């Protein structure tokens, strides 16, 4: 069904992109069973211009090597020709250029880099589809959605675990999720709400565009290339049908106690009040995933007894760990870069706390070490500015109040690394701490300050 137009053509043309998006969202919300069959007419030159404005310009270039500066030399003409090709069906999606980025555990993650023009057109399609599917997505999903963030997911995990006194945690890892999305099932899920021929053909072209790597092009039958603008939305649509709806509509009503699913893209945990519920779901979950071509990682997925430390048996064995405010043995799980564990509040009450996971903490320090090693002969002002930038990025994400001790540790280790490589510039090969103290007074690094509920960096006075 075509969303209703205004009374006149001029009125329709005068609507800006956000107005059109609000109207699409309102129709999708008021008529949840409606299937949209005509949406492509909304993409006009103004729509593409807005899509271009929302597209990142400083990213890596695709296989054509075209930069934003090149494209902007005839921006209106390029967008107009792109619009004509998209509407007429003559647009050909170029292969994505694949690179591999380190994951921090010795493995790499494949990343697809589309061309700039491909990013613009994908953004234009996302701007149409997103208002529709946002009305269907459930609150358990937090990844790559407007107005939601990883910190929202972390807050939901803490709230859920506290509400069931820890409960049982199903910590699930999907093996190579983005690379194993089944195209046939994805098209089926898309067509439950959208059957616009132009948009579906474009999505089909992107799924079949192929990957350029090692001088050749391959055409995988599965997956959406990570790095594509439209890939996060397609991935959310897939798991919304495979996991979110299934859990909300089929699983929860068969459980004895409460259960909570919290998902960020393909990372998710399920929190159960009762062990029997957890084991039943853990038994059926692999079959559910396999039905749609997904695989649960056998070694990275586990069921964890996370019940609160008020039980006498655990209280005795973990007393020392809780006194140090550290994770007691295996009674912790990682989610979105944080280790969740039972600690103590200032009043001595058991609470769920978060600290930077060991792998992420080590990865950050490794990168600082490598940068200081490679740039040990740079001017101290350059080194200082770069270290402040790296620390600022870490604190922007990990700066939670209950993570203060880990953040202080990161600052201390950064000083140790900087001092070590500054010492390598000297004939003696070392820099005494007294000398480094005077040096750091001249080139200070920021300090961590608790500004509840966040920890922020504050510049030290010179």
């Amino acid at each position: 069904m075509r969303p209703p137009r205004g009374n006149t053509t001029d009125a329709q043309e005068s609507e800006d992109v956000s107005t059109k998006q609000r109207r699409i969202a309102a129709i999708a919300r008021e008529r949840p069973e409606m299937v949209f069959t005509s949406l492509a007419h909304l993409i006009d030159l103004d729509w593409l211009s807005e899509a271009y404005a929302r597209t990142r310009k400083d990213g890596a270039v695709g296989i054509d090597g075209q930069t934003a500066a090149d494209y902007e030399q005839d921006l209106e003409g390029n967008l107009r020709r792109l619009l004509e090709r998209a509407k007429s069906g003559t647009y050909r999606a170029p292969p994505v250029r694949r690179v591999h980025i380190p994951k921090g555990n010795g493995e790499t993650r494949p990343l697809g880099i589309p061309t700039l023009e491909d990013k613009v057109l994908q953004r234009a399609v996302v701007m149409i589809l997103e208002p529709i599917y946002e009305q269907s997505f459930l609150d358990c999903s937090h990844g790559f959605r407007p107005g939601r963030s990883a910190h929202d997911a972390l807050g939901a995990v803490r709230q859920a675990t506290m509400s069931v006194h820890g409960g049982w945690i199903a910590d699930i890892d999907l093996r190579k999720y983005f690379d194993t999305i089944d195209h046939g099932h994805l098209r089926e899920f898309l067509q439950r709400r959208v059957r616009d021929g132009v948009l579906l053909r474009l999505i089909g072209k992107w799924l079949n565009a192929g990957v350029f790597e090692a001088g050749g092009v391959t055409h995988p039958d599965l997956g959406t290339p990570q790095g594509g603008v439209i890939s996060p939305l397609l991935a959310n649509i897939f798991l919304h049908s495979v996991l979110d709806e299934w859990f909300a509509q089929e699983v929860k009503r068969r459980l004895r106690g409460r259960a909570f699913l919290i998902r960020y893209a393909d990372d998710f945990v399920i929190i159960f009040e009762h062990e029997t519920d957890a084991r039943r779901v853990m038994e059926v979950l692999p079959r559910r995933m396999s039905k749609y071509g997904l695989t649960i990682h056998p070694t990275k997925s586990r069921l964890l007894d996370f019940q609160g430390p008020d039980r006498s048996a655990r209280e005795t064995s973990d007393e020392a760990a809780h006194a140090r405010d550290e994770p007691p043995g295996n009674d912790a799980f990682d989610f979105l870069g944080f280790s969740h564990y039972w600690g103590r509040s200032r009043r001595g009450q058991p609470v769920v706390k978060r600290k930077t996971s060991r792998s992420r903490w080590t990865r950050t320090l490794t990168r600082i070490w490598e940068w200081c090693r490679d740039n040990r002969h740079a001017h101290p002002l350059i080194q200082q500015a770069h270290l402040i930038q790296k620390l600022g990025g870490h604190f922007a994400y990990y700066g939670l109040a209950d993570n203060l001790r880990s953040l202080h540790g990161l600052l201390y280790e950064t000083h140790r690394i900087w001092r070590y490589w500054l010492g390598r510039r000297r004939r003696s090969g070392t820099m005494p701490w007294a000398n480094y103290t005077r040096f750091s007074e001249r080139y200070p690094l920021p300090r961590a300050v608790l500004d509840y509920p966040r920890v922020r960096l504050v510049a030290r006075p010179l």
Side-chain angles (χ1 to χ4, degrees), residues 1-4 27 31 34-39 41 193 195:
M1 178 175 179
R2 180 192 298 267
I27 296 170
R31 305 179 63 178
M34 179 180 132
V35 177
F36 290 80
T37 58
S38 182
L39 291 166
H41 69 277
R193 294 235 67 183
R195 293 181 187 168

Side-chain angles (χ1 to χ4, degrees), residues 22 37 91 353 379 447:
R22 285 193 296 268
T37 58
Y91 179 79
K353 292 192 171 185
H379 192 280
R447 56 191 176 93

Side-chain angles (χ1 to χ4, degrees), residues 2-39:
R2 180 192 298 267
R5 292 174 174 264
N7 294 330
T8 64
T9 303
D10 292 340
Q12 173 69 17
E13 292 177 350
S14 66
E15 292 178 340
D16 60 16
V17 170
S18 60
T19 302
K20 294 178 182 179
Q21 289 180 309
R22 285 193 296 268
R23 293 175 66 242
I24 295 172
I27 296 170
R29 182 171 54 253
E30 294 166 2
R31 305 179 63 178
E33 303 301 323
M34 179 180 132
V35 177
F36 290 80
T37 58
S38 182
L39 291 166

Side-chain angles (χ1 to χ4, degrees), residues 96-111:
V96 298
R97 182 170 66 88
R98 172 169 286 177
V99 297
H100 294 267
I101 57 176
K103 296 174 61 175
N105 58 358
E107 300 178 359
T108 61
R109 182 190 304 274
L111 180 67

Side-chain angles (χ1 to χ4, degrees), residues 3 86 108 137-138 201 227 256 260 279 284 300 314 317 326 409 413 415 447:
T108 61
F137 290 160
L138 305 182
R201 278 195 298 272
R256 291 178 52 231
F260 306 88
R279 296 199 179 278
V284 72
K300 295 182 180 180
R314 180 175 300 179
S317 62
E326 295 176 353
E413 293 298 328
H415 279 289
R447 56 191 176 93

Side-chain angles (χ1 to χ4, degrees), residues 253-300:
R253 63 188 179 90
R254 291 181 168 88
L255 302 180
R256 291 178 52 231
R258 290 174 291 170
F260 306 88
L261 167 68
I262 296 99
R263 180 174 67 83
Y264 189 90
D266 60 324
D267 293 328
F268 66 94
V269 294
I270 310 176
I271 301 161
F272 299 91
E273 187 174 12
H274 298 307
E275 178 184 2
T276 53
D277 290 338
R279 296 199 179 278
R280 286 174 60 199
V281 174
M282 285 295 286
E283 183 179 350
V284 72
L285 189 59
R287 294 199 297 269
R288 173 67 181 183
M289 296 295 106
S290 135
K291 179 180 178 180
Y292 295 94
L294 303 178
T295 305
I296 292 179
H297 201 292
T299 59
K300 295 182 180 180

Side-chain angles (χ1 to χ4, degrees), residues 149-155 158 336-338 346 354-356 390-405 407-408 447-458:
S149 68
H151 288 125
D152 294 326
L154 291 166
R158 187 177 188 274
L336 299 182
F338 284 88
R346 291 185 177 181
R354 288 80 52 93
K355 64 183 297 183
T356 310
K390 281 187 172 295
L391 291 170
H394 187 91
F395 272 68
Y397 183 73
Y398 293 101
L400 301 182
D402 45 6
N403 194 29
L404 182 60
R405 179 171 297 185
L407 297 170
H408 277 310
R447 56 191 176 93
V449 173
L450 179 60
D451 186 13
Y452 194 85
R454 300 284 300 176
V455 178
R456 58 189 177 90
L457 287 175
V458 176

Side-chain angles (χ1 to χ4, degrees), residues 424-437:
R424 295 294 297 270
R425 296 163 55 154
R426 303 162 66 97
R427 181 173 299 178
S428 63
T430 62
M431 173 181 279
W433 273 107
N435 292 5
Y436 179 76
T437 299

